[in-house]
Amino acid sequence: MTGEENRGFYLTESQFGPLWKYVCQDEITNIDWDSGHLWIKYAGHIRRRVEDPEVTKEFIERFSLLAANHESRPFNRVDSVLCAETKELRITFVHEAFAVSGRSMSIRKSLPRLRFTVKEALLAGYCQERVMHLLVNCVLGGFNFVFCGEPGQGKTESAKFFSSFIRPHEKVITVEDLREWHYGDINPDKDCVELKVQSREDYGEAIAVSLRLNPKWLMIAETRSREVRYLLEGWSNGVSCMTTLHVNDARRIPDRILNMLESRQDAERLVNQVYSDVGIGVLLKEQECGDGITVHRIWQVCFYYRENERNGCVLPVEDGILYEERLPEFLRARIREGCGQKDIFYNAQVEERKNA
């Protein structure tokens, strides 16, 4: 990665200064400056404090002002939060007027490639093999996916991974304020439109515009609040969706969505729609394995349904373990119909990538 490639935020290697040695390492996912200390997070490892005499309070102050200049935005006691981005980095600064522990910085890295392959995921225990086959078949069946979990649990990377199985001819539109999906870079031969919004208020309009462009898939970097009603509109129009959501139990996704709606008028209809349309919730969880090694795992998979005028959900994957018997026949039939094959726990693409 070079400063030249970081379109949108024109900082060169020299301007990144002592941070460059961390920025240029693909395996580093997060770089933080908190309370006068530098913290580094490598993929697959716990976050560690690093002693670097070159990264000082004075450097962070200069770097934040340089970022403000490049973004043409104020950063002071009144405008105390500054966000900047490059093609691969999301950079956030918080002024000491807001962060009483001192000026803070967070750099989050999202690469325009997949963090892991099928083979690597299975070897690392990301999920059981039959779970991966099942979820890929659900992608082919056009199920809606909500990837959930606490911050830093790998929600976006999981969504990027499973979106790579979308059929090439199915039009995908991504909507995000800071680039994380990189769908076009990861899938250069597939039909894709990438929309970038300037503020949270623009999300609703962007999603509404997307629906007029006849997509098969809508990918929203994060469902936060008011844009959820446009998401529901997309689902009701037959558009498949992948999004991420901050919630720590997949079974709570319908309640979380309902609580984000501005109005609960006609509440019963909304509840029924959510259970009918949400599709699948996937909870991601990071676990320590000893010696500072961590692994992201698919911890829960939840299917939502409205059947015989009743709303419900089933949890065939709990604590990372697949319980096939929990998946009722009517859901199995929907998956078979969608993906076009009899065995919902087998997918040829997964098998091919596993053996590549």
Side-chain angles (χ1 to χ4, degrees), residues 231-246:
L231 186 63
L232 291 174
E233 182 182 337
W235 287 343
S236 66
N237 288 337
V239 177
S240 299
C241 177
M242 288 189 183
T243 190
T244 65
L245 192 67
H246 289 302

Side-chain angles (χ1 to χ4, degrees), residues 173 175 207 210-211 216-220 231 239-242:
I173 297 181
V175 180
I207 294 172
S210 297
L211 297 177
K216 169 58 181 172
W217 286 90
L218 185 62
M219 296 177 65
I220 302 174
L231 186 63
V239 177
S240 299
C241 177
M242 288 189 183

Side-chain angles (χ1 to χ4, degrees), residues 18-19 21-22 33 38 49-56:
L19 292 176
K21 56 181 172 287
Y22 307 111
W33 175 266
L38 181 66
R49 180 172 152 181
V50 174
E51 299 298 333
D52 188 331
E54 294 184 296
V55 182
T56 64

Side-chain angles (χ1 to χ4, degrees), residues 44 60 62 71 73 99 109-110 127 132 175 184 186 222 238 242 269 275 287 301 306 320 326 334 339:
I60 295 298
R62 292 195 303 271
E71 290 290 297
R73 293 178 184 172
K109 190 183 301 180
S110 179
C127 66
M132 186 174 293
V175 180
I186 295 170
E222 184 180 341
M242 288 189 183
R269 181 188 63 81
Y275 274 91
Q287 288 187 302
V301 174
R306 177 166 176 77
R326 295 183 182 178
R334 288 182 195 174
C339 69

Side-chain angles (χ1 to χ4, degrees), residues 79 114 120 318:
D79 298 288
L114 298 180
E120 290 168 344
E318 186 173 15

Side-chain angles (χ1 to χ4, degrees), residues 33-34 60 64 75-76 79-83 91-106:
W33 175 266
D34 299 322
I60 295 298
S64 63
F75 182 58
N76 49 46
D79 298 288
S80 57
V81 178
L82 171 68
C83 295
I91 308 174
T92 303
F93 297 96
V94 181
H95 197 274
E96 55 270 22
F98 192 12
V100 294
S101 54
R103 190 166 301 192
S104 294
M105 177 199 71
S106 175

Side-chain angles (χ1 to χ4, degrees), residues 128-145:
Q128 293 177 306
E129 186 170 340
R130 288 172 73 80
V131 172
M132 186 174 293
H133 284 271
L134 172 66
L135 290 176
V136 170
N137 281 330
C138 289
V139 172
L140 297 178
F143 279 68
N144 296 316
F145 280 75

